[in-house]
Every structure is written in C-alpha cells, then in structure tokens.
Amino acid sequence: MRTIQVSELMDEQKFNRFHLQISLCCIFIIICDGYDMFMLGTILPSLMAEWRITAVEAGLFSSYALFGMMIGAMVFGPMADKVGRKKVILICTVIFSVFTFTSGFAAEPTSFGIQRFIAGLGLGGVMPNFGWRAVVGLVRSH
C-alpha cells in the first residue's frame, strides 16, 4: 500500500484560477466582518440614546461578538478537521450572515447582544479555516 503525505501533496499544488476564486470568497467574508464592526461603531451612539444605555453597556455589545468569535474558533476550528472545511465554512457563513442581519431588527438590548454573540460564533468559526491549506483542502473536496 502506498503512503501519501498530505501536507507535501498540498504544498506541491500550483495556485490556479479556482484557488483565486476561493481565496476571494474568503477575503470577502473577512471584509464583511470588518464592515460589521464598523457599522456597530457607527450606530452605537444612536442605540445608546434610543435604549438609554450607558457607554459601558454599549461597549459590551462589541465584546459579545468578540467572545463569540473566540468560542467559535475553538469549537468550529477542530470540527472542520472532522466534518470538512467546506461544510464548516458554509455553516459558519450562514450563521454569521443570518444573525448579523437579524440584529438590525432587535427591539431591545438583550436580544441584540445575543444576536451579536451568535454572529460572532459564526465568524469565529470561519477564521481558522482560511489559508492556503484550507483553499487546497476545499479544492480536494470540490
């Protein structure tokens, strides 16, 4: 039986158009995260006035997403090794997208914070699954 070193096989792959497309999709998802954090900073003063919350409470909303990202990375990173990067990236992108969208309709601070946390879980799950090895892994499952 022939032994194959997967890491060597991936390192020997040439970067082609398909790799570029996957990389651009991954970069787009990361840009959406940056946009999400930028928009939160933009709307936070309005939320503080409307919901009559303090600056400390408003600062927690940013922290909720970051805590979600930390936990999402710890949970979904290893999970990708078991079920596949493609599935995990798709699931996490859907989680991030849905809960970022629905947080715009939150009627009160508690639901907004929960939605920010869950969106952070999705984004945190996407982050550790990007990179050259991830792109080659996605190609293998394509």
Side-chain angles (χ1 to χ4, degrees), residues 29-47 61-62 65-66 69 96 100 112 116 123:
I29 293 169
I30 301 299
I31 289 171
C32 287
D33 167 50
Y35 183 74
D36 172 60
M37 293 305 284
F38 169 75
M39 290 309 297
L40 176 65
T42 303
I43 66 163
L44 217 44
S46 299
L47 291 178
F61 293 135
S62 296
L66 295 175
M69 288 172 68
F96 169 68
T100 298
F112 184 73
R116 295 286 304 156
L123 187 62

Side-chain angles (χ1 to χ4, degrees), residues 47 50-51 101-115:
L47 291 178
E50 185 174 329
W51 288 339
F101 177 75
T102 60
S103 68
F105 300 102
E108 42 93 23
T110 303
S111 65
F112 184 73
I114 290 169
Q115 290 169 333

